[in-house]
């Protein structure tokens, strides 16, 4: 059995909305707690400028994009510079009504924000399991 | 788009290093202060994905750039999109200047937060000076 390839997570770094902050936290939870060793983050600014090994990595490895909103900037940019992500998630869509009732801001997440980030992280982890089981 | 905006802000939001987490905090601080209406945030993903109206906004307004590390991604992206950089900050230099070091990318810690506050305040003063100069030149 071949080892699953490391998956690169490209997260929205949007400072404009709380969903951008949630996507950053969720990415870290996946990387550090739910799928350590199986995932890595791709630094979006570095990837976009073509610096480091980010684009090279994204060309050779599957990628998942986590966007904060429907603009889907991370997904669009990833497809433009490396290839189609295996999965593109929109945090706003995943959380829909949950986020409207949450006591959060883009700067301060608090317990509500952490809970929402965990929900998104679990969804990402499920998708990774699903992707690896199909291979 | 913020129609009152007089200056735009492009900051590294990189998740790879603690510096990126501090630049994100600086952005939040700048957008939460009294003059926030004068600042239009242009995020790097929006700009690179070509989402309207951000590329046009970048060409129209003077730009404040905050880079996290020596890669200077924010500066490169602004230059590539023909933005006019008027105020610059590089976090690795600010760390030396203020002698405050962020803890990690997940948690910038108390020193990281203090650093963010100091840099945000410094940039805010530069923005005020710049806009004052622009205003006087326009008279």
């Amino acid at each position: 059995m071949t080892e699953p390839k490391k998956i690169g997570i490209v997260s929205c770094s949007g400072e404009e909305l709380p969903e951008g902050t949630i996507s950053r936290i969720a990415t870290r939870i996946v990387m550090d707690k739910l799928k350590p060793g199986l995932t890595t983050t791709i630094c979006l600014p570095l990837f976009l400028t073509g610096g480091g090994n980010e684009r090279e990595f994204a060309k050779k490895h599957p990628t998942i994009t986590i966007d904060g909103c429907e603009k889907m900037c991370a997904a669009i940019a990833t497809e433009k510079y490396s290839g189609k992500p295996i999965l593109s998630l929109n945090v706003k869509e995943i959380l829909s009504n949950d986020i409207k009732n949450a006591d959060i801001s883009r700067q301060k997440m608090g317990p509500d924000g952490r809970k929402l980030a965990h929900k998104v992280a679990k969804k990402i982890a499920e998708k990774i399991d699903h992707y690896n089981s199909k291979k | 788009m913020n129609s009152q905006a007089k200056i735009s802000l492009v900051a590294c939001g990189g998740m790879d290093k603690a510096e990126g987490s501090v630049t994100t905090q600086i952005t939040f601080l700048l957008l939460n202060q009294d003059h926030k209406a004068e600042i239009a945030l242009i995020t790097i993903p929006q700009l690179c994905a070509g989402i309207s109206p951000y590329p046009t906004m970048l060409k129209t307004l003077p730009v404040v750039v905050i880079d996290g590390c020596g890669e200077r991604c924010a500066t490169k992206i602004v230059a590539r999109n023909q933005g006019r950089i008027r105020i610059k900050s590089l976090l690795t230099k600010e760390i030396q200047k203020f002698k405050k070091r962020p803890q990690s990318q997940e948690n910038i810690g108390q020193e990281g937060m203090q650093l963010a506050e100091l840099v945000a305040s410094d940039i805010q003063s530069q923005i005020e000076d710049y806009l004052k100069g622009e205003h006087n030149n326009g008279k």
Side-chain angles (χ1 to χ4, degrees), chain B residues 69-125:
Chain B
C69 69
E71 295 282 351
R72 297 174 191 257
C73 300
T75 297
K76 287 178 189 167
I77 290 167
V78 170
R80 196 183 288 168
N81 285 275
Q82 295 151 35
R84 294 172 294 130
I85 299 172
R86 293 294 175 262
I87 296 167
K88 265 181 159 185
S89 170
L90 172 60
L91 207 79
T92 43
K93 280 199 174 164
E94 306 287 10
I95 289 171
Q96 289 169 356
K97 181 179 163 188
F98 292 111
K99 297 188 173 38
K100 305 252 178 225
R101 191 162 288 279
Q103 203 174 302
S104 68
Q105 54 266 64
E106 306 96 83
N107 178 14
I108 60 171
Q110 207 181 342
E111 272 200 30
M113 216 34 229
Q114 287 167 353
L115 175 66
E117 282 162 11
L118 288 163
V119 178
S121 158
D122 196 21
I123 293 173
Q124 184 53 43
S125 306

Side-chain angles (χ1 to χ4, degrees), chain A residues 30-117:
Chain A
V30 173
M31 218 181 82
D32 299 337
K33 296 187 177 141
L34 303 181
K35 298 287 167 198
L38 275 179
T39 51
T40 188
T41 53
I42 292 175
C43 178
L44 190 56
L46 200 53
F47 172 75
L48 294 169
T49 53
N53 295 318
E54 316 294 281
R55 282 193 195 172
E56 195 59 27
F57 181 91
K59 273 182 191 154
K60 290 180 183 161
H61 292 77
T63 54
I64 292 177
T65 56
I66 318 296
D67 274 294
C69 70
E70 63 285 347
K71 287 178 192 156
M72 302 296 279
C73 303
I76 293 170
T78 303
E79 191 160 355
K80 188 171 165 187
Y81 294 110
S82 70
K84 201 170 169 57
I86 56 163
L87 179 72
S88 300
L89 294 175
N90 172 358
V91 169
K92 205 175 232 180
E93 204 176 275
I94 296 170
L95 298 176
S96 74
N97 283 334
D98 293 348
I99 202 149
K100 287 179 196 151
N101 306 319
D103 181 20
I104 55 168
S105 72
R106 59 189 173 191
Q107 191 177 6
K108 288 206 163 63
M109 283 283 112
D112 277 8
R114 296 254 153 216
K115 219 163 115 185
L116 295 176

Side-chain angles (χ1 to χ4, degrees), chain A residues 11 13-16 21 24 27-28 32 41 43-46 48-49 54 71 73 76 80-81 106-107, chain B residues 13-16 24-25 27-29 31-32 41 43-46 48-49 51 54 71 73 77 80 105-106:
Chain A
S11 170
S13 58
E15 296 94 349
E16 210 175 19
T21 309
R24 290 170 74 97
T27 300
R28 287 241 70 98
D32 299 337
T41 53
C43 178
L44 190 56
L46 200 53
L48 294 169
T49 53
E54 316 294 281
K71 287 178 192 156
C73 303
I76 293 170
K80 188 171 165 187
Y81 294 110
R106 59 189 173 191
Q107 191 177 6
Chain B
M15 287 188 59
D16 247 17
T24 301
Q25 273 307 319
T27 303
F28 290 149
L29 291 168
L31 295 174
N32 282 342
L41 173 68
T43 70
I44 288 177
Q46 290 167 340
C48 290
I51 307 283
Y54 303 101
E71 295 282 351
C73 300
I77 290 167
R80 196 183 288 168
Q105 54 266 64
E106 306 96 83

Side-chain angles (χ1 to χ4, degrees), chain B residues 15-36:
Chain B
M15 287 188 59
D16 247 17
K17 297 185 177 112
E19 286 86 344
S21 303
V22 178
T23 58
T24 301
Q25 273 307 319
I26 296 169
T27 303
F28 290 149
L29 291 168
L30 287 169
L31 295 174
N32 282 342
Q33 46 72 44
D34 295 345
H35 299 274
K36 61 185 174 195

